[in-house]
Short mmCIF file of all heavy atoms in Angstrom, two decimals:
data_model
loop_
_atom_site.label_atom_id
_atom_site.label_comp_id
_atom_site.label_asym_id
_atom_site.label_seq_id
_atom_site.Cartn_x
_atom_site.Cartn_y
_atom_site.Cartn_z
N SER A 15 115.69 117.51 96.91
CA SER A 15 115.24 116.12 96.85
C SER A 15 113.83 115.99 97.40
O SER A 15 112.99 115.30 96.83
CB SER A 15 116.21 115.23 97.63
OG SER A 15 115.75 113.91 97.64
N VAL A 110 68.92 103.33 95.45
CA VAL A 110 67.77 104.05 94.90
C VAL A 110 66.52 103.77 95.73
O VAL A 110 65.62 104.63 95.82
CB VAL A 110 67.51 103.73 93.41
CG1 VAL A 110 68.67 104.21 92.56
CG2 VAL A 110 67.23 102.27 93.18
N LEU A 155 73.95 109.62 93.69
CA LEU A 155 73.12 108.68 94.44
C LEU A 155 73.88 108.12 95.64
O LEU A 155 73.35 108.03 96.75
CB LEU A 155 72.66 107.53 93.53
CG LEU A 155 71.72 107.90 92.38
CD1 LEU A 155 71.56 106.70 91.45
CD2 LEU A 155 70.37 108.34 92.90
N ILE A 192 69.84 106.02 77.62
CA ILE A 192 70.43 106.35 78.92
C ILE A 192 69.70 107.55 79.53
O ILE A 192 69.34 107.54 80.72
CB ILE A 192 71.93 106.65 78.77
CG1 ILE A 192 72.69 105.38 78.40
CG2 ILE A 192 72.50 107.27 80.05
CD1 ILE A 192 74.15 105.60 78.05
N ARG A 194 66.68 108.57 78.89
CA ARG A 194 65.31 108.19 79.25
C ARG A 194 65.29 107.43 80.58
O ARG A 194 64.45 107.69 81.45
CB ARG A 194 64.71 107.32 78.14
CG ARG A 194 63.28 106.85 78.41
CD ARG A 194 62.67 106.26 77.15
NE ARG A 194 63.50 105.19 76.60
CZ ARG A 194 63.45 103.92 77.01
NH1 ARG A 194 62.58 103.58 77.99
NH2 ARG A 194 64.21 103.00 76.47
N ALA A 210 59.52 101.40 91.58
CA ALA A 210 59.68 101.91 90.22
C ALA A 210 61.12 102.35 89.98
O ALA A 210 61.69 102.10 88.90
CB ALA A 210 58.72 103.08 89.98
N LYS A 213 63.16 99.27 89.39
CA LYS A 213 62.85 98.69 88.09
C LYS A 213 63.60 99.42 86.97
O LYS A 213 64.23 98.79 86.10
CB LYS A 213 61.33 98.77 87.84
CG LYS A 213 60.91 98.37 86.43
CD LYS A 213 59.43 98.65 86.20
CE LYS A 213 59.05 98.41 84.75
NZ LYS A 213 57.62 98.74 84.48
N SER A 231 80.80 91.53 67.99
CA SER A 231 80.91 91.38 66.53
C SER A 231 81.53 92.61 65.89
O SER A 231 82.21 92.51 64.85
CB SER A 231 79.52 91.12 65.92
OG SER A 231 78.68 92.25 66.04
#
Side-chain angles (χ1 to χ4, degrees):
S15 177
V110 296
L155 294 171
I192 292 172
R194 180 168 55 84
K213 172 187 173 183
S231 68

